[in-house]
PDB file of all heavy atoms in Angstrom:
ATOM      1  N   MET R  91      85.870  98.843 118.267  1.00 98.00           N
ATOM      2  CA  MET R  91      86.349  97.438 118.288  1.00 98.00           C
ATOM      3  C   MET R  91      85.680  96.633 119.406  1.00 98.00           C
ATOM      4  O   MET R  91      85.156  95.452 119.158  1.00 98.00           O
ATOM      5  CB  MET R  91      88.003  97.483 118.559  1.00 98.00           C
ATOM      6  CG  MET R  91      88.522  96.075 118.422  1.00 98.00           C
ATOM      7  SD  MET R  91      90.192  95.922 119.038  1.00 98.00           S
ATOM      8  CE  MET R  91      91.138  96.861 117.768  1.00 98.00           C
ATOM      9  N   MET R 117      92.802  93.181 118.777  1.00 98.00           N
ATOM     10  CA  MET R 117      91.518  92.607 118.554  1.00 98.00           C
ATOM     11  C   MET R 117      91.407  91.178 119.137  1.00 98.00           C
ATOM     12  O   MET R 117      90.363  90.796 119.685  1.00 98.00           O
ATOM     13  CB  MET R 117      91.289  92.628 117.020  1.00 98.00           C
ATOM     14  CG  MET R 117      89.768  92.377 116.585  1.00 98.00           C
ATOM     15  SD  MET R 117      89.587  92.021 114.905  1.00 98.00           S
ATOM     16  CE  MET R 117      89.865  93.439 114.125  1.00 98.00           C
ATOM     17  N   ILE R 159      89.630  91.199 111.009  1.00 98.00           N
ATOM     18  CA  ILE R 159      90.878  91.595 110.238  1.00 98.00           C
ATOM     19  C   ILE R 159      91.003  93.144 110.208  1.00 98.00           C
ATOM     20  O   ILE R 159      89.959  93.761 110.213  1.00 98.00           O
ATOM     21  CB  ILE R 159      90.872  90.979 108.773  1.00 98.00           C
ATOM     22  CG1 ILE R 159      92.234  91.120 108.141  1.00 98.00           C
ATOM     23  CG2 ILE R 159      89.846  91.623 107.957  1.00 98.00           C
ATOM     24  CD1 ILE R 159      92.361  90.224 106.948  1.00 98.00           C
ATOM     25  N   VAL R 160      92.234  93.662 110.239  1.00 98.00           N
ATOM     26  CA  VAL R 160      92.381  95.164 110.202  1.00 98.00           C
ATOM     27  C   VAL R 160      92.688  95.408 108.732  1.00 98.00           C
ATOM     28  O   VAL R 160      93.594  94.916 107.953  1.00 98.00           O
ATOM     29  CB  VAL R 160      93.704  95.441 111.032  1.00 98.00           C
ATOM     30  CG1 VAL R 160      93.909  96.955 111.026  1.00 98.00           C
ATOM     31  CG2 VAL R 160      93.336  95.028 112.462  1.00 98.00           C
ATOM     32  N   HIS R 161      91.877  96.352 108.165  1.00 98.00           N
ATOM     33  CA  HIS R 161      92.075  96.787 106.734  1.00 98.00           C
ATOM     34  C   HIS R 161      93.334  97.672 106.532  1.00 98.00           C
ATOM     35  O   HIS R 161      94.030  97.532 105.607  1.00 98.00           O
ATOM     36  CB  HIS R 161      90.776  97.564 106.324  1.00 98.00           C
ATOM     37  CG  HIS R 161      90.755  98.007 104.895  1.00 98.00           C
ATOM     38  ND1 HIS R 161      90.049  99.065 104.503  1.00 98.00           N
ATOM     39  CD2 HIS R 161      91.190  97.316 103.801  1.00 98.00           C
ATOM     40  CE1 HIS R 161      90.172  99.176 103.177  1.00 98.00           C
ATOM     41  NE2 HIS R 161      90.845  98.096 102.734  1.00 98.00           N
ATOM     42  N   ALA R 162      93.494  98.583 107.511  1.00 98.00           N
ATOM     43  CA  ALA R 162      94.668  99.486 107.458  1.00 98.00           C
ATOM     44  C   ALA R 162      95.461  99.352 108.838  1.00 98.00           C
ATOM     45  O   ALA R 162      95.011  99.997 109.850  1.00 98.00           O
ATOM     46  CB  ALA R 162      94.150 100.919 107.201  1.00 98.00           C
ATOM     47  N   VAL R 188      85.690  93.972 110.186  1.00 99.00           N
ATOM     48  CA  VAL R 188      86.783  94.755 109.685  1.00 99.00           C
ATOM     49  C   VAL R 188      86.994  95.906 110.525  1.00 99.00           C
ATOM     50  O   VAL R 188      86.062  96.698 110.836  1.00 99.00           O
ATOM     51  CB  VAL R 188      86.446  95.163 108.217  1.00 99.00           C
ATOM     52  CG1 VAL R 188      87.530  96.067 107.705  1.00 99.00           C
ATOM     53  CG2 VAL R 188      86.402  93.802 107.340  1.00 99.00           C
ATOM     54  N   ASP R 189      88.252  96.194 110.791  1.00 98.00           N
ATOM     55  CA  ASP R 189      88.790  97.462 111.447  1.00 98.00           C
ATOM     56  C   ASP R 189      89.023  98.322 110.344  1.00 98.00           C
ATOM     57  O   ASP R 189      90.048  98.119 109.580  1.00 98.00           O
ATOM     58  CB  ASP R 189      89.981  97.131 112.316  1.00 98.00           C
ATOM     59  CG  ASP R 189      90.637  98.388 112.971  1.00 98.00           C
ATOM     60  OD1 ASP R 189      90.717  99.391 112.228  1.00 98.00           O
ATOM     61  OD2 ASP R 189      91.133  98.329 114.100  1.00 98.00           O
ATOM     62  N   ALA R 190      88.285  99.417 110.250  1.00 98.00           N
ATOM     63  CA  ALA R 190      88.566 100.440 109.150  1.00 98.00           C
ATOM     64  C   ALA R 190      88.978 101.766 109.785  1.00 98.00           C
ATOM     65  O   ALA R 190      88.580 102.821 109.206  1.00 98.00           O
ATOM     66  CB  ALA R 190      87.316 100.599 108.283  1.00 98.00           C
ATOM     67  N   VAL R 191      89.600 101.781 110.910  1.00 98.00           N
ATOM     68  CA  VAL R 191      89.939 102.985 111.602  1.00 98.00           C
ATOM     69  C   VAL R 191      90.764 104.039 110.716  1.00 98.00           C
ATOM     70  O   VAL R 191      90.470 105.202 110.602  1.00 98.00           O
ATOM     71  CB  VAL R 191      90.509 102.780 112.982  1.00 98.00           C
ATOM     72  CG1 VAL R 191      90.864 104.116 113.663  1.00 98.00           C
ATOM     73  CG2 VAL R 191      89.645 101.966 113.898  1.00 98.00           C
ATOM     74  N   TYR R 210      84.033  98.863 112.139  1.00 99.00           N
ATOM     75  CA  TYR R 210      84.121  99.943 113.029  1.00 99.00           C
ATOM     76  C   TYR R 210      85.243 100.858 112.564  1.00 99.00           C
ATOM     77  O   TYR R 210      86.149 100.417 111.844  1.00 99.00           O
ATOM     78  CB  TYR R 210      84.399  99.548 114.445  1.00 99.00           C
ATOM     79  CG  TYR R 210      85.680  98.827 114.660  1.00 99.00           C
ATOM     80  CD1 TYR R 210      86.862  99.364 114.971  1.00 99.00           C
ATOM     81  CD2 TYR R 210      85.697  97.401 114.545  1.00 99.00           C
ATOM     82  CE1 TYR R 210      88.027  98.726 115.130  1.00 99.00           C
ATOM     83  CE2 TYR R 210      86.804  96.638 114.754  1.00 99.00           C
ATOM     84  CZ  TYR R 210      88.066  97.293 114.975  1.00 99.00           C
ATOM     85  OH  TYR R 210      89.171  96.589 115.121  1.00 99.00           O
TER      86      TYR R 210
END
Side-chain angles (χ1 to χ4, degrees):
M91 184 193 289
M117 198 193 287
I159 192 161
V160 179
H161 187 210
V188 173
D189 175 321
V191 178
Y210 61 91

